[in-house]
Amino acid sequence: MADLPGDVSAYRPFTCNECSKSFTRSENLQRHKRARHGGSSRKTFECAGCHARFSRSDVYKRHTDRCRLLASQKDQPQQGHQRVPTPPEMEDVTPSLQDASLLLPDSTWQPDQLTYTTDGSQAYSGSPSSIRTASVNGETTSSYLKAYFDHFHPSLPLLHRPTFSLNSAPELLVNVLMVIGSLYSRAYSNGDWEASEHWRRSTWKSGIRDLQRMVAVDYSEFRKTWVLQTWLLHIIYGTYMKETPEFGETKQMLRTLVDAMRELGLLRQGITMPDSLSWASQGDPTDSKTPYTRWMSYISTESMKISLYTLVFLDSLLFLPSNIRPLISPMEFGWELPFPSNLWEAKNSQIWLQRVTEHFGLAPENYLYGPRSVATASLSLATQQLMAESPSPDLLAALIASPFTTLCIMTNINALIRDFTRSYYQLPPSPSDPSAFHILTQHQNKQIYGAMRTISKIVKDQACTSDNPQFLLWRTVEILHCSVKISLCRPDHLLIGGIVDNSVIAGLATSTHLTLGNYVSVRRSAPLLPPHLWGDEGVLAVLNDLASALTRIAGEEGERAYREAPWVTAGSYGILLCIWGALRRAGKDIQNHLDTFNELPRRSESCMLIFNTLMESIVLSLNGGPHEPATQDPRIWSTDHNTFLGLLEQGEMLFVTLMQRVCGERCLWGIGPSMATVVDEILAAPQPTVLA
């Protein structure tokens, strides 16, 4: 067996005498022998209902209990149902099978086939929800769940949709899915919004209490994938609620979860699921699993893997607008990269096996243990490989096949840059190096920009329309890519100022005020240097990216803007803030030149390049959009003093108008309307003195 990272192999004293595998515990070795080398004759436990055979009595018992429950539900569909926490006007009604079986009518799976397991224990164990339909303002449970999978799931494929069933999903998981899904359903109902909001908040808080009680005695409950998924979804919803106390509770939930992951060793795949390391293991030629069993084995491992990658993603990005430092170091996270997205989306085992062969050219029985590159062995190794001059072809193929994997790599690069920035700004300022964006050495910049170019090319090659199931994920990668490039050139004001805010919305509001006051310059160089000494070289480096991002952000209208994930809205707002600050500084420089020399600066001057380039995108977005003809404003790039002066006076207000429109279209999670209010308050207040 290949050596595992972190000398994990040194702690495996129990070796199989029939193959090369070794284990940390004797019971794991015995289980391996029964499953791998025992054959069907050793599977002595047979279910009387479906005749499935098992080699372990505990797995057999859980299966029979569940098989019996599902059979009784089919025979007695009119029995009482568990009640979802609802407002007073919600009523339980007898569901139809059509409402209860989610959500893919063309899929071949059936609820009674589900054997969704993780590390030997049933993932959907505990209190499976009964088949039911609840009515909230004309909406039903199944419609809320459908809204979740149609609108939120494409931005974060945390659950395995083809095998999700309302019959078997635990109550806590169903409730939080309904809470998030109801946000997307509210545009299609005319009911009482306040009652719905009260139901969401109370259901969310009740779910947190139940989850905390569940794990209070034993952290091992987190080994159940559904518990981990439910916990993560509660963190997401709580982060973007407007109430500050809930945000504090959400931060504590994240800390609790990270502590549990460390205590249980779940941050290391070699410890959690040693048999699932495809890059370190070889296929077993005697493996006689059926295609369905092999598919379910893949789902078990990949569900835990995607859940943990989601944890790392949320830890690095979710609280970033508040300047809260990530709790997990990429160096301690030892899970190989997720497999291609279309394998995760395969609706049955036959489609899955076909796609495995298409991607890897492997026989299906060798897939889970096939020869995968070491470059894909962990997030940290993949990031290092991507910054090399010649990235591994296996790594590039993994990024192309999975936008979620690419998003996690981008998030890790962003965390790396912020760590460099944090260290750099703890050093004393140097008059010989006053620029705020010289964070990395030239060689380090070259390495990171090389990785960014590779990802940019992948995103460009994967350009797709909004009806593509991967559109929202690639769109998120694109926004984060622009944000990372900005971080290399103009560090985050909250980060440099050492400000940690008490919510995402408060952090974005503080960033708005600091952007218009250029707090970075004051913190870094005053009183040693005169203000605004180095101009806007950092903005020039990303000027084309800013103009393109502005056009794309403003071009997301209607349903596409409505479906946007909240972390994408926060990232887009950060890009708009950078544009606003650059436009304001460029306009002041042009005005100062006019006052001094009574003529416009040359077109090649940085202030003219920035102002005119950004105004082109602003006018295009206001008048037509990226796919409609728009009339070019003749004042842009004009050299006539009087002609250009009108544009100079109107430029900032034109951008603010566009910014308010963009915020207004992103009303779902509350970030857009809150930021529009902040902008209105800034415009209404007396303008402060700009310090740089």
Side-chain angles (χ1 to χ4, degrees), residues 53 95 165 200 385 389 450 551 682:
R53 299 179 65 87
S165 171
R200 276 192 290 271
Q385 278 283 321
E389 292 185 3
T551 303
I682 290 175

Side-chain angles (χ1 to χ4, degrees), residues 247-274:
F247 184 78
E249 191 167 9
T250 303
K251 289 190 295 183
Q252 185 57 48
M253 286 186 69
L254 179 65
R255 294 189 184 99
T256 300
L257 181 57
V258 173
D259 289 343
M261 296 299 102
R262 290 193 176 112
E263 182 174 321
L264 296 172
L266 292 179
L267 294 178
R268 287 283 177 178
Q269 186 174 358
I271 298 174
T272 309
M273 296 180 174

